[in-house]
Amino acid sequence: MTTFHDLGLSKTIVDTLTTLGFEKATPIQEKAIPLVMEGSDLIGLAQTGTGKTAAFGLPMIEKLLADTRRPDPRNIRALILAPTRELVNQIADNLRDFVKKTPLRVVTVVGGASINKQSEMLSRGTDILVATPGRLLDLVNRKAVTLTQARYLVLDEADQMLDLGFIHDLRKISKMVPKNRQTLLFSATMPKLIGELAGEYLVNPKKVEVTPPGKAADKVEQYVHHVPGKDQKAQILRKTLTDNPDGLSLVFSRTKHGAEKLMKHLDHIGFKAASIHGNKSQGQRERALKAFRDGEIRVLVATDVAARGIDIPGVTHVYNYDLPEVPDAYVHRIGRTARNGRDGIAIAFCTPDEAHLLRDIEKLMGIQITVASGEAPAVITAGPGGKSRKPRSGSGHRASQGRAGQRPARKPFGEGAQADGGAPAAGKRAHGNRPPQKQGERQNRNHGAGNGQGRPNQSGKPRRSEGQRREQA
Ligand code: AMP
C-alpha cells in the first residue's frame, strides 16, 4: 500500500487527506503524483471514479504551496478546464477540500451563472481556476482575467471536450497560457484528435493509464425493450419505477425538450422527478443534482450533459429512454450506475426508428444486449451499499437470466474495456469479441460527424453535427 506520505506530499496535505478518509493512494495517484511532482507533462488515460482529480490536484497544490508568490489581481496560477458545469463544480469541490488548511483560493467559472459575479471573483488573484472553455474565453475577452501567469494547465475529460466541439476554444486557451507551463491531459479514451492535441501542446509527456476498479461496465446488467412507439416507453418506465420505489433512476432523453416533457409527465403521474439539461440555469442544475444525490427525488431525467463524469454512487438504474445518436454515449450513460462495487441495471428502449442506433451500440460494445420481456427486470435498491438485489421471483423473464451469463454474447467488454465515464481505449478494444477497430473509424464516429455536413452512418441515416447535439443537450 502506498500512502500519500510515501508519495512525498507535505504533512499539511497528508493530514487533510486523513480527515477526508484518504488513507492510501489509488493506482492513478500512485503513478501520476510523482511524475507531476517532478515537473513532467502528463497524459492520463483514466476516468472519473479512479481518483484522478487528486492525482493531478494534489501535486499541483504542493507545487503552488512551495512557490509563495501571490497571483496579481485578475491573474491565475493554475487552470483546469473541464467540459461541463457539473464536472467543474465536482473538481472544485474536491480541490477546496484539499486546500482547506492552506491559503490557496479555488475559483470556478461556468456558463449559466452570473458573469459579473465571476468577474468579481477573479478581480483578486486566483490560485486555481476551474472552468468550462466557453465561459473562460468570454471572461478573457472582457479582460476579467489573463492567463499569462498560469504555470499549470489541466485538460480534464479531454475527449468529451472534443466531442462537445470545444477544440477551437482549447486551442485558443492553450496559446494564452505561457509555454513554460506544465500541462496535464486526462481523457477516458484516446481518439486520434486527442493524440494530435497532445502532440501540439504537451512537451515530452509521460503516459499513465488505469482501468477503473472492478471494470464497472462488466457489472451493469443491460436490457433492451423493443417497443412500437413512445407511449410504450412511458408505460414500461412507469412500471419499472413503480417496482423500484427505493431505486435511484437516471433517465436519459435525447433532447432538452424531451427531457422536460418526460419530467413533467413523471411528476404528473406521481413520481417526484427533476430534470437536468442545457436550458436549465446553473442553480437549477446544481439543486437537481443535489436532491438526486441526497435521495430527495428518486428520478432524474437528463440529456447527455449528465452522461459523463458525474459521480453519484447510489444510482441503481440508468434508462436509455431514447437511444443516443453516438454509440459511445451509451457506454458513458450506463457508467453512471454500478459504481464503487454496487450493482446496477441499464434499461434501454428501442423503437423501430431507433433500431440502427441499437445496432451501432451493440457493434461498438461487441455484445448483444439482452432483450427484456414486457416486465421489469430485477429490483435493486439504493440502500446502504446498494446491494440488496431482489430478483422478481418466478417472473421467468429473460432479464434475470442475463445476470447468470447464459447468453454467451452478453460479456459486455473486451479486456481492459471501461464504462465508467468512458468507452474503452481504442487500442484495447481489440481484445473484445469483435474485430479490432481502427482509430480512424472511431475518429469518424466521434468527430468526423461533427463537421456539420450530416454524413450518413452505416444505416444510411444522417448524423447530427456536434453543434446540433450540443444544442439539443
Ligand atoms: P475522481 O475520480 O477524482 O472523481 O474521484 C472519485 C471519488 O474518489 C471522489 O469522491 C474522491 O473524493 C474519492 N477518492 C479519490 N482518491 C481517493 C483515495 N485515495 N482514497 C479514498 N477516496 C478517494
Side-chain angles (χ1 to χ4, degrees), residues 4 20-26 29 47-55 90 94 97-98 309 311 339-340:
F4 289 101
L20 295 171
F22 288 27
E23 279 163 18
K24 63 178 183 110
T26 66
Q29 292 161 1
Q47 301 155 348
T48 304
T50 54
K52 72 183 158 83
T53 313
Q90 201 166 284
N94 270 267
D97 280 343
F98 302 153
D311 184 30
R339 298 178 75 79
N340 300 337

Side-chain angles (χ1 to χ4, degrees), residues 158-159 162-163 167 171 187 189-197 326-328 364 424-427 429 434 437-451 455 463 466 469:
D159 52 353
L162 297 190
D163 276 354
I167 181 73
R171 288 208 155 102
S187 189
T189 60
M190 205 57 201
K192 207 169 138 221
L193 201 53
I194 294 278
E196 284 174 20
L197 194 75
V326 182
D328 292 43
L364 171 73
R429 287 204 174 106
R434 68 190 183 87
Q437 190 180 25
K438 289 191 198 99
Q439 280 212 336
E441 286 173 23
R442 183 171 160 66
Q443 192 62 27
N444 286 344
R445 204 180 43 251
N446 276 342
H447 307 293
N451 59 10
R455 282 195 300 116
R463 289 198 182 283
E466 277 166 9
R469 289 205 303 271

Side-chain angles (χ1 to χ4, degrees), residues 209 211 215 364-367 411-418 424-437:
E209 185 172 350
T211 326
K215 288 194 280 169
L364 171 73
M365 299 179 76
I367 60 162
K411 176 154 177 43
F413 291 105
E415 205 178 296
Q418 309 158 0
K428 294 213 152 192
R429 287 204 174 106
H431 301 290
N433 44 9
R434 68 190 183 87
Q437 190 180 25

Side-chain angles (χ1 to χ4, degrees), residues 79-364:
L79 174 62
I80 300 168
L81 293 173
T84 65
R85 302 165 193 180
E86 283 71 23
L87 268 173
V88 163
N89 289 327
Q90 201 166 284
I91 294 166
D93 286 348
N94 270 267
L95 297 181
R96 287 192 181 114
D97 280 343
F98 302 153
V99 300
K100 246 186 313 212
K101 292 183 186 153
T102 78
L104 299 184
R105 235 178 120 238
V106 179
V107 172
T108 57
V109 304
V110 292
S114 158
I115 197 163
N116 291 334
K117 227 185 234 169
Q118 291 171 358
S119 175
E120 197 185 306
M121 293 294 285
L122 291 165
S123 62
R124 279 198 281 149
T126 302
D127 295 290
I128 304 176
L129 178 63
V130 195
T132 47
R135 175 54 64 95
L136 175 64
L137 280 176
D138 288 347
L139 284 155
V140 169
N141 291 337
R142 285 176 172 224
K143 304 210 181 328
V145 63
T146 44
L147 310 181
T148 48
Q149 286 181 2
R151 290 290 171 271
Y152 305 94
L153 172 64
V154 181
L155 308 175
D156 196 16
E157 302 270 347
D159 52 353
Q160 193 189 5
M161 289 203 273
L162 297 190
D163 276 354
L164 290 173
F166 283 133
I167 181 73
H168 299 300
D169 292 353
L170 291 185
R171 288 208 155 102
K172 276 189 206 153
I173 293 168
S174 300
K175 283 183 188 137
M176 292 174 186
V177 183
K179 281 214 165 74
N180 62 352
R181 66 176 186 239
Q182 187 175 5
T183 310
L184 316 173
L185 180 151
F186 284 84
S187 189
T189 60
M190 205 57 201
K192 207 169 138 221
L193 201 53
I194 294 278
E196 284 174 20
L197 194 75
E200 274 175 67
Y201 296 110
L202 278 70
V203 180
N204 299 326
K206 301 266 168 48
K207 199 167 168 187
V208 294
E209 185 172 350
V210 292
T211 326
K215 288 194 280 169
D218 282 345
K219 301 188 65 258
V220 182
E221 268 183 66
Q222 300 171 59
Y223 303 96
V224 58
H225 285 273
H226 288 282
V227 290
K230 278 205 171 283
D231 288 351
Q232 289 78 15
K233 290 186 179 182
Q235 282 164 16
I236 298 172
L237 179 63
R238 178 185 191 156
K239 172 155 180 31
T240 324
L241 290 177
T242 307
D243 286 349
N244 288 276
D246 299 324
L248 266 194
S249 299
L250 186 53
V251 184
F252 282 101
S253 153
R254 194 168 54 78
T255 64
K256 297 183 269 199
H257 176 68
E260 204 53 26
K261 208 167 131 194
L262 180 58
M263 186 273 286
K264 286 188 177 140
H265 168 72
L266 289 170
D267 220 44
H268 182 68
I269 60 172
F271 294 98
K272 249 183 135 192
S275 64
I276 169 168
H277 52 70
N279 276 359
K280 294 274 180 177
S281 72
Q282 185 54 25
Q284 287 171 320
R285 283 162 69 159
E286 276 166 28
R287 278 193 297 280
L289 266 185
K290 181 169 186 315
F292 187 56
R293 208 184 284 273
D294 295 347
E296 282 165 28
I297 54 153
R298 308 210 72 91
V299 189
L300 184 67
V301 187
T303 58
D304 279 324
V305 295
R308 293 209 206 192
I310 299 303
D311 184 30
I312 299 176
V315 174
T316 57
H317 292 71
V318 169
Y319 293 88
N320 278 276
Y321 195 78
D322 301 312
L323 289 176
E325 297 262 332
V326 182
D328 292 43
Y330 175 86
V331 187
H332 295 302
R333 289 175 177 187
I334 69 166
R336 300 310 98 217
T337 187
R339 298 178 75 79
N340 300 337
R342 298 173 189 226
D343 290 322
I345 293 179
I347 298 170
F349 298 115
C350 180
T351 59
D353 278 359
E354 294 172 300
H356 66 288
L357 301 174
L358 182 65
R359 271 200 302 277
D360 286 353
I361 290 164
E362 292 188 328
K363 188 160 177 254
L364 171 73

